[in-house]
Amino acid sequence: MSQAFQRLSPTDESVDSQLLVFVVDDERLIAMTLFLILTHAGFSTAWFTVPEEALRAAVRAAPHLLLSDVAMPTMSGVHLAITMTSRWPTCKVLLLSGQAETADLLCEARSLGFSFRLLSKPIDPSCLLMEIRTILSQPGGRIFPYTE
């Protein structure tokens, strides 16, 4: 195992391999990289490059966490998060974005009663894993306190 993945392994906290994380990013390389990071950290992970495919897969097995890019061509990550948490209220959400227009989508989501955690890309893998552990340890799933 490479040193990079050894550093990403769970620390003292045990990661429950039964926790299913959906990774959605229209850029295949990013989706696969996030998949590898999470899988090596002990999560059960599935990756998608098309948001609608993630929704179809959730019918068979709803994820505990949706990790999604915001700016995607067919459906934004914000709209995916709203749809996912409306259908599966215990699904938690962490959004990633490297684009400025994300703020408008988040404002629209807040006006509908949704508030999702957003991290800027690129993100250090260890910071990502720490954020995921924090989110998964919180009760509920649909609405998180808004943070900027």
Side-chain angles (χ1 to χ4, degrees), residues 55-136:
L55 288 172
R56 285 191 292 275
V59 171
R60 293 185 301 278
H64 295 90
L65 175 71
L66 170 67
L67 176 62
S68 178
D69 184 27
V70 173
M72 296 183 285
T74 61
M75 175 188 289
S76 78
V78 172
H79 289 112
L80 174 61
I82 290 171
T83 303
M84 189 76 75
T85 57
S86 294
R87 293 182 185 171
W88 298 279
T90 59
C91 178
K92 298 179 181 187
V93 174
L94 180 57
L95 298 174
L96 302 173
S97 180
Q99 301 191 5
E101 65 268 6
T102 299
D104 291 340
L105 291 170
L106 288 176
C107 285
E108 179 184 335
R110 277 193 294 282
S111 73
L112 297 172
F114 296 86
S115 184
F116 303 113
R117 182 80 170 107
L118 174 71
L119 298 178
S120 296
K121 286 193 221 176
I123 183 166
D124 178 86
S126 59
C127 292
L128 175 64
L129 291 173
M130 186 172 22
E131 189 69 32
I132 287 171
R133 287 187 187 105
T134 300
I135 287 174
L136 288 172

Side-chain angles (χ1 to χ4, degrees), residues 19-70:
L19 292 175
L20 177 59
V21 178
F22 277 13
V23 173
V24 184
D25 196 304
D26 60 312
E27 292 192 41
R28 183 180 177 91
L29 182 59
I30 293 173
M32 289 175 59
T33 301
L34 291 169
F35 167 82
L36 288 172
I37 290 167
L38 294 173
T39 300
H40 280 73
F43 292 98
S44 176
T45 311
W47 64 274
F48 307 88
T49 56
V50 178
E52 294 83 0
E53 289 177 5
L55 288 172
R56 285 191 292 275
V59 171
R60 293 185 301 278
H64 295 90
L65 175 71
L66 170 67
L67 176 62
S68 178
D69 184 27
V70 173

